[in-house]
Amino acid sequence: MLKITPHLGILVVIVSIAGLWFPLLGYFLLLVFATLMVTSYFRGRWFCGNLCPRGSFNDFWVGKISRNRKIPNILRSYWVRIPIFMLMMGFMGYRLLSTQGLINQIGMVFVIMCLVTTTIALVTGAGISPRTWCTFCPMGTVQNLIGGSKYQLKTDESKCINCNKCEKVCPMQLDVHTNNDKPDCIKCGRCITACPTKALAFKA
């Protein structure tokens, strides 16, 4: 992860709460959307593990109160993720059409979406695991579909000693040390740091 990553969580709190009084803060989400769309083409879900304010919020804030349970596999299924994506995008689209193009009202739509999704992330993160929301996040799903095969984590099997330290630190609870594709890897690099034999690396 980047040095700035642990400090980005404050941004989602500012937009979710202060945005109720200053709706223009909602337009920050457009910057987030644009950035993740661009980076996903080259590095998959790299944005999620390095620049996502909600990801930072989940890891470094919600993580302090999380029960740290296993994330249910059903939440990773596209049978769950695609309907959630369509529901949330449809709701946001409907709300945007009802604003009649008024700048403040458009901003408020984004603020409400941020507040709702942050609340879901907080509840699921505290009750299950910090990154539970990220397993079915609509924007994470989009990045998965666009660039899930890019910048894959690879294991040098000649160096791997099967200590499983990499899997213990993976916030997405992935099967890290195999060479299977991991489209939902958020490229945070914690597994690489934890590996005692330097068997892990990202490959373009």
Side-chain angles (χ1 to χ4, degrees), residues 45 73-86 135-138 140-149 182-184:
R45 295 193 64 175
N73 285 331
I74 187 64
L75 297 181
R76 305 180 193 274
S77 168
Y78 282 112
W79 291 103
V80 171
R81 297 167 69 164
I82 297 301
I84 289 176
F85 172 82
M86 294 178 67
T135 60
F136 60 93
C137 167
T141 299
V142 169
Q143 292 175 84
N144 177 313
L145 294 172
I146 293 175
S149 63
K182 306 170 187 67
D184 279 317

Side-chain angles (χ1 to χ4, degrees), residues 52-115:
C52 180
R54 184 173 292 111
S56 174
F57 174 75
N58 292 346
D59 281 341
F60 301 102
W61 296 35
V62 179
K64 297 181 184 301
I65 59 172
S66 177
R67 301 181 73 177
N68 291 308
R69 293 182 170 182
K70 180 175 174 54
I71 299 172
N73 285 331
I74 187 64
L75 297 181
R76 305 180 193 274
S77 168
Y78 282 112
W79 291 103
V80 171
R81 297 167 69 164
I82 297 301
I84 289 176
F85 172 82
M86 294 178 67
L87 178 65
M88 297 194 73
M89 293 302 103
F91 176 72
M92 185 171 69
Y94 170 76
R95 290 293 305 274
L96 288 173
L97 289 174
S98 68
T99 64
Q100 299 180 337
L102 297 176
I103 294 177
N104 273 355
Q105 289 190 25
I106 292 174
M108 183 57 74
V109 170
F110 292 133
V111 169
I112 295 300
M113 289 299 295
C114 186
L115 180 58

Side-chain angles (χ1 to χ4, degrees), residues 119-193:
T119 301
I120 296 172
L122 175 59
V123 172
T124 58
I128 305 175
S129 180
R131 286 277 183 164
T132 303
W133 161 256
C134 303
T135 60
F136 60 93
C137 167
M139 292 300 99
T141 299
V142 169
Q143 292 175 84
N144 177 313
L145 294 172
I146 293 175
S149 63
K150 305 288 181 67
Y151 202 56
Q152 283 286 315
L153 180 68
K154 297 297 182 182
T155 303
D156 183 338
E157 296 179 355
S158 67
K159 295 181 179 179
C160 180
I161 57 174
N162 295 311
C163 64
N164 291 324
K165 289 183 178 180
C166 54
E167 294 182 0
K168 291 177 181 177
V169 299
C170 177
M172 295 294 285
Q173 300 182 5
L174 301 178
D175 187 10
V176 178
H177 73 289
T178 67
N179 274 318
N180 298 327
D181 283 352
K182 306 170 187 67
D184 279 317
C185 171
I186 59 175
K187 320 310 194 242
C188 63
R190 297 178 205 182
C191 55
I192 294 176
T193 301

